[in-house]
Structure formats: structure tokens, C-alpha cells
Amino acid sequence: MNHLIVLPILIPLFSGLGLLLKREGPATPRRLIALAATVALLVCGVLLMRQSASGIIQYYALGDWQPPFGIILVLDRLSALMVTLTALLALGSLCYASAGSDEEGSNFHGLFQLQLMGINGAFLTGDLFNLFVFFEVLLIASYSLLMHGGGKARIHSGFHYVVLNLAGSALFLIGLGVLYGTIGTLNMADMAARAPGLDSGRLVLAEAGAMLLLVVFGMKSAILPLYFWLPRAYAAAPAPVAALFAILTKVGIYAILRVFTLIFGPQAGSLANLAQPWVWWLALATLALGGIGVLSSRDLRTQVAYLIIISVGTLLAGIGMNSLDAHGALLYYMVHTTLITGGLFLLVDSIARQRGKAGARIVRGRSVQQVALLGTLFFVAALAVAGVPPFSGAVGKALLLQAATPDQQAWLWPILLSSSLAAIVALSRSGSTVFWRASGGGERSESRDSGDAPGIGALRTLGLLLLIGASPLLVAFAGPLSAYTEAAADQLADHEAYIQAILERHRTEGDS
Amino acid sequence: MEALFSMTTGVLAACGLFLALRGRTFPVVVGLTLLSYAVNLFLFSMGGLDTGGAVVLDDKGGSHADPLPQALVLTAIVIGFAMTAFSVILAMRARGDLGSDHVNGNRVDEPREERS
């Protein structure tokens, strides 16, 4: 058995437990352990991607209980990509956090590692109930991380976030119960194999269970009627945490993609393609409202949170289109948008730190000290996130626009492009307010005297460069990456191979 | 028995939902707890209800209980306990920090607290 598959869960588990035990004393050892564990995670992710590139679906049976009876972790191109993406994003936000924001409250690094464990587990698991467990692991870590450092705004939005997610977990369990009662298994491959043969009396129940799961995943990914918690929670969260949360919505999107292409995919008879029509229309509405939200926000943090809503709408539209090209394009866009929105949260925090009282609000205020560095990064990130050519957003959006069929184009093109336009307008307005309409130099010199550290420091710059610098790199290596994501989409569409890799191997081993 | 079981689950879920939609943190936490009880009962019954069956296996070939829902509901109970404890602490912290036990942090006498 290939033990590499379980490492993305074990590395953060053990480093996280160790970090929780070592809470006192200087911060440097904790930072080093956390950074080392995350680098190890990144290496592990890259190795997994190289292994999965061969196209063979591997699984890891925990405790050697063979599927469909035991819990398994499954490695395919999609899960390897998501694990690597998580590690990269985590490394950037951890570098940034290590410059000081990790010491605003206790246990930052331990919780951060446990959060990574939950995210990686959700990406790797091949069992629906295990997915629930990993969702809970990542949620309970995210509750504490969201309120890291305390303060009224965080407690306030934190309580809403916790209550909403507890209700979501209850729905998740009801959905799982219904699906187990009707299909008779919770192993994803086994469910996919059994779903087409359901008798008609159970179809309605199975459909209800599947739609309940869609509601839960939709809440995690912040689709239209369920996104209202997101801007406030993400705007209140500490910057490195908000940056890591950029992947949380993608966990929901990944779960929709996995469950509704594998289990309730085109092969599932009367349960085929249950979610896609719903997701398509709701995604378009999410896009439109996200565009309005970006235009109306008066705070840079809220603005970035609404940019996340736009990216969620774009990604879900890709799921709604339900074609190979669209899935490949959305995976490329997912890599881009996760890194860039994460980077933007960090950048906004750096800007707010240098503007004194004005903070992240989009008003005339004190000028930032490092106009050249922060201004350039903001320019790059804004163009990338809005999807303006030389950067990666343009490639991702072009791929998606190209993947739409003529019917879909009529809806997707105007809505996606006008939401991009809204993002450009809003970001250019906020960028020019923050960087150009700053008040005079007198206040600036005063600010230097007031004991602010000069500049944002090397670690923060490194974190920012890691995430925002990914955008030009994603363009430079767009060829290999989009080839990989297209292959991942192919693999995702091939249910037979997935079912065979997990169930057949077990049967032949049992015979020999 | 099925009718009684489903009525119990339904009443628990309805009470939980009603309380979870209240404006104060304490009823919300109690509501979420009731909701999780209802969900646990529901999960427990998903393998089918049966009386007089063997716990795990029966040599005589009679009916036996489905063990998987029991394992699942155990996991769900543990997670539910942890979450309830967490939300109780959080509600108390919110009461202390926001000076109000309203879910939106409003004070009783003021229509809306100023955002800090």
C-alpha cells in the first residue's frame, strides 16, 4: 500500500497536536515547526500530483479494511491537485502570520495545522461519512481561528458562523441517513455503482437525500441563497485566517463536483445530473449579486470577500455547464482564484496596517509607506482577480467562456463579463482612493514618528509574493497546468475507472 | 413503533428548529442541541427499525441490527457534544464581549448597538 496518500492528514495531525502541547514560551520554535510541517505538506502534495499524473486511481485502506467496508482515502488527479493547492495557500498565509499576527491570541499554529488536516482529509476521503467527519474537523478549527485575537466584530460574526454551520451539519447527517437508508452504503465508489439500480420506490428518497447534500455543500461554498454569512465572517477574520478560508469555499465546490459527477453523475439512471440545473442558475445569480456586492462595499476586506463570492459563482457555473471542457477550465480557475483571493486578504491587511486610522476602509486617508511594493502588488492582484489579460484570471475565464455551449453562452457571457467589469470598476476605484487620493506628507512623517515599524517586513512580503506572484507563474505555466486539469476532468468523468479501481481490485485480491 | 419513533423525531426537530430561530443565544443553543438529538435518532433508524433482533449476529439466522448506523450515530453524538460545549462557551463569551445575549448583539433598550 502506498503510505504517501495518508501523509497529508498525518503530518498536520501530529504537528498540530505537538503545537497544541507547546503553547508557552517564545514563538520562534512554534513558527519553525508549523512552517516545516507546511513545507513537508507541499512536498507531499507535489509527489502525490506526480504519482497521480500517471492516471492510475490509488486508494489507501485505513487499518487495511478493504472497500467497500472500511474507510478509504482515494488519490486521483483532482484530489492531488487540491492537496497541493491547500499546502501552497497555507504556506503563504503561514509566512504572513509568522510576522506577528499569530501571537495576537493563543494556539494559532496548532489550530491552523488541524484545519489543514481537515481540509486535506475532505479532499482525499472516499467515504461520504468520513467526509462529514473531516468537515467537522475543519469547521471546529475554523471556528476558533475565525475568533483568533478576539474583538467584538469577530465574536459577533463568529457566533453566526458557528450556528449556521451547526445547522448545516445537522442537514448533512440527515442527508447521509437518507442516502444510507436507500442506497445501503456510504462508500462513494460503491454508491456510484449502486445508484443506477435503485428501485423506483426509493428513488424519491435518494433524490431528497442528494439534494440535502447539495444544500449543505452549497452553504459551505456560499452559493446564492446561502452566502450572506460569508462577507461579514471573512471581513472580520484575521488576515492569514481569511486567506486560508479562501480554500474553505472550494472544499464545498470540490464536494459538489465529486458527489454530483461521481455518484449522481450521468450514469446514475433517473438520478443522473440532479444538481447541475440548480447549480447553473443559482451560480449565475450568485455571480450577479457578487458583482453588486463588490461595487457596494465600503471596506477593502468586504470587497475581497465579495470577490470570493464572484469566484464561487464562476466556479459553480463551470459545474452547472457539466462538460469535460468546463470542468477542466473550472479546475484551472480554482487554482488561480484560491491563491489570488488569499493573497488579496493578506495584501489588504498590509495596506490597513500602514494607513493608521483609515484602516481598510475605502476613504481618503494617510498614504501607505511602501507605495511602490503594495501598489504594484495590488495592481497585479486586482488585474488577475478581475480577469484582465496578462494575468491568470484572464486565462481561466477565457477557458470557461470557451467551454460554454451556445445556449449557455447567452447567459454566461453577459453575466460573467459584467461581474468582471464590476470587479474592475470597484477595484480601480478603491485602488485609486487608497493609493492616489492620500492626504499630504505632513501626516505621513508624523506616522513614522509614532512608532510604526517601517514597512511590512520580510516574512509578510514573502507571504504576499508567494500568493500573488503565483498569478504570472500560472500564466507562464498555463500549458502544463491546463493539460493537468483537463486530464483531471477526464478522470472525473470516467466513473467506471473509479469504481473499478476501488472495488474490482479488492474482488480480484479476494479471489487469489 | 415506526409511528411513535417518527413522531418523536419530528417533534424534536420542530422544537429544535423553532428554538434555533429565536433571537437570544440561549434558546438558539438549546435549539441546536434538540436538533442534533433529532438527527441522531433519525440516523439511528436509517438501517431500519426492528424489535427482538440479535445485536450483531445471530447463529439461528434470525434478524440482526445493522451495526453501521450505530457506529455512525456514536460519531455524530461525540461531535454533537463537542459542538454544543463549544457553542455554550461561545454564547457566554459573546454575552461578555457584546454586552448582550442577543444573536445580533443588540441591547434590549437600544434598537441597534453602534458598531465598533
Side-chain angles (χ1 to χ4, degrees):
Chain A
M1 225 167 1
N2 181 2
H3 291 282
L4 193 65
I5 303 176
V6 77
L7 278 186
I9 297 172
L10 290 186
I11 294 173
L13 173 66
F14 286 113
S15 60
L17 287 180
L19 287 163
L20 285 181
L21 290 176
K22 191 179 173 344
R23 295 156 59 170
E24 306 297 326
T28 318
R30 284 198 293 274
R31 287 173 183 160
L32 286 178
I33 294 173
L35 282 171
T38 315
V39 169
L41 201 60
L42 186 61
V43 171
C44 193
V46 171
L47 288 178
L48 285 177
M49 262 176 92
R50 287 189 53 176
Q51 283 195 3
S52 66
S54 64
I56 301 167
I57 297 177
Q58 302 181 55
Y59 71 87
Y60 183 86
L62 293 161
D64 211 15
W65 289 90
Q66 291 301 318
F69 305 109
I71 285 172
I72 51 165
L73 304 175
V74 181
L75 175 74
D76 63 355
R77 289 194 181 103
L78 175 58
S79 50
L81 177 71
M82 297 307 291
V83 167
T84 314
L85 178 61
T86 310
L88 198 57
L89 180 71
L91 192 61
S93 69
L94 205 58
C95 282
Y96 191 89
S98 295
S101 31
D102 54 344
E103 292 297 301
E104 285 166 11
S106 52
N107 283 334
F108 177 85
H109 289 296
L111 290 167
F112 195 90
Q113 294 296 321
L114 291 180
Q115 166 108 57
L116 288 181
M117 170 198 161
I119 297 172
N120 286 336
F123 287 144
L124 283 170
T125 185
D127 182 282
L128 219 46
F129 195 82
N130 201 228
L131 182 69
F132 165 77
V133 174
F134 278 119
F135 262 51
E136 292 300 311
V137 172
L138 74 88
L139 281 176
I140 200 155
S142 76
Y143 299 155
S144 319
L145 280 177
L146 177 62
M147 283 170 270
H148 175 76
K152 278 187 180 180
R154 284 177 194 162
I155 297 285
H156 183 183
S157 58
F159 191 75
H160 292 189
Y161 178 71
V162 170
V163 168
L164 196 73
N165 278 305
L166 285 181
S169 305
L171 286 182
F172 199 161
L173 280 175
I174 296 175
L176 284 179
V178 172
L179 286 179
Y180 179 76
T182 49
I183 302 182
T185 176
L186 287 172
N187 180 295
M188 291 188 198
D190 205 17
M191 284 176 95
R194 289 196 200 185
L198 273 188
D199 58 61
S200 56
R202 296 187 161 193
L203 273 180
V204 182
L205 270 177
E207 195 178 335
M211 294 315 269
L212 268 176
L213 288 192
L214 180 64
V215 172
V216 178
F217 298 151
M219 195 167 89
K220 307 277 187 256
S221 60
I223 195 172
L224 171 65
L226 302 165
Y227 80 74
F228 300 101
W229 56 273
L230 187 141
R232 190 176 230 167
Y234 280 35
V241 175
L244 182 66
F245 279 13
I247 194 94
L248 285 195
T249 50
K250 278 70 187 181
V251 176
I253 290 169
Y254 165 85
I256 295 180
L257 193 61
R258 179 68 85 192
V259 168
F260 291 95
T261 55
L262 176 66
I263 304 174
F264 305 107
Q267 92 293 357
S270 19
L271 289 174
N273 298 330
L274 269 183
Q276 278 79 358
W278 290 89
V279 168
W280 167 247
W281 294 112
L282 289 174
L284 292 180
T286 312
L287 260 177
L289 283 180
I292 295 171
V294 167
L295 281 174
S296 69
S297 19
R298 287 184 292 180
D299 185 290
L300 282 172
R301 293 194 178 97
T302 324
Q303 198 162 51
V304 181
Y306 274 109
L307 288 172
I308 286 202
I309 306 268
I310 291 189
S311 78
V312 163
T314 314
L315 291 170
L316 287 171
I319 295 182
M321 283 194 266
N322 200 19
S323 66
L324 273 183
D325 290 344
H327 288 165
L330 95 88
L331 290 178
Y332 179 87
Y333 188 75
M334 176 125 75
V335 176
H336 143 80
T337 190
T338 309
L339 295 175
I340 291 299
T341 44
L344 265 171
F345 272 119
L346 300 182
L347 182 60
V348 164
D349 184 67
S350 298
I351 293 172
R353 276 171 195 275
Q354 298 194 353
R355 287 181 80 217
K357 274 186 185 166
R361 279 177 296 146
I362 307 172
V363 290
R364 269 178 75 109
R366 188 208 280 176
S367 149
V368 296
Q369 289 157 18
Q370 293 168 299
V371 182
L373 175 70
L374 296 183
T376 313
L377 284 175
F378 188 84
F379 184 70
V380 172
L383 288 186
V385 83
V388 178
F391 298 109
S392 52
V395 182
K397 280 186 179 165
L399 286 172
L400 259 178
L401 291 173
Q402 215 175 18
T405 61
D407 284 354
Q408 293 164 340
Q409 278 174 1
W411 290 97
L412 183 72
W413 285 42
I415 296 179
L416 183 59
L417 292 176
S418 54
S419 80
S420 306
L421 181 68
I424 295 171
V425 170
L427 283 169
S428 48
R429 195 188 55 187
S430 55
S432 52
T433 308
V434 167
F435 290 105
W436 289 341
R437 290 175 57 207
S439 37
E443 265 184 76
R444 232 163 122 188
S445 59
E446 188 188 315
S447 77
R448 292 231 171 106
D449 300 335
S450 67
D452 282 349
I456 53 174
L459 268 172
R460 289 206 175 104
T461 316
L462 179 65
L464 283 172
L465 285 178
L466 255 176
L467 296 185
I468 294 176
S471 182
L473 285 182
L474 282 178
V475 178
F477 296 101
L481 183 64
S482 63
Y484 183 90
T485 58
E486 274 163 27
D490 274 339
Q491 199 176 37
L492 195 64
D494 193 357
H495 327 87
E496 273 311 310
Y498 189 94
I499 296 169
Q500 288 236 334
I502 286 161
L503 298 180
E504 295 297 319
R505 195 186 299 175
H506 158 62
R507 282 174 204 161
T508 47
E509 269 175 24
D511 294 340
S512 60
Chain B
M1 186 181 63
E2 279 84 356
L4 183 66
F5 196 93
S6 46
M7 267 166 60
T8 315
T9 316
V11 169
L12 267 177
C15 294
L17 194 61
F18 175 77
L19 286 175
L21 294 173
R22 306 292 289 173
R24 309 247 160 219
T25 50
F26 180 71
V28 170
V29 172
V30 174
L32 288 173
T33 315
L34 285 185
L35 201 59
S36 76
Y37 289 163
V39 168
N40 289 343
L41 275 179
F42 178 80
L43 207 56
F44 192 65
S45 69
M46 73 193 184
L49 292 173
D50 195 6
T51 46
V55 178
V56 180
L57 273 179
D58 190 0
D59 290 340
K60 285 166 252 164
S63 65
H64 62 87
D66 187 346
L68 192 71
Q70 300 175 14
L72 299 188
V73 84
L74 201 61
T75 317
I77 288 172
V78 172
I79 292 176
F81 262 136
M83 292 295 174
T84 309
F86 184 82
S87 53
V88 168
I89 296 296
L90 180 59
M92 287 169 63
R93 176 82 187 268
R95 169 76 184 80
D97 280 12
L98 303 174
S100 152
D101 65 346
H102 195 275
V103 285
N104 283 332
N106 298 343
R107 292 192 195 277
V108 189
D109 43 349
E110 296 167 26
R112 191 176 174 82
E113 195 183 18
E114 265 181 49
R115 276 194 72 198
S116 59

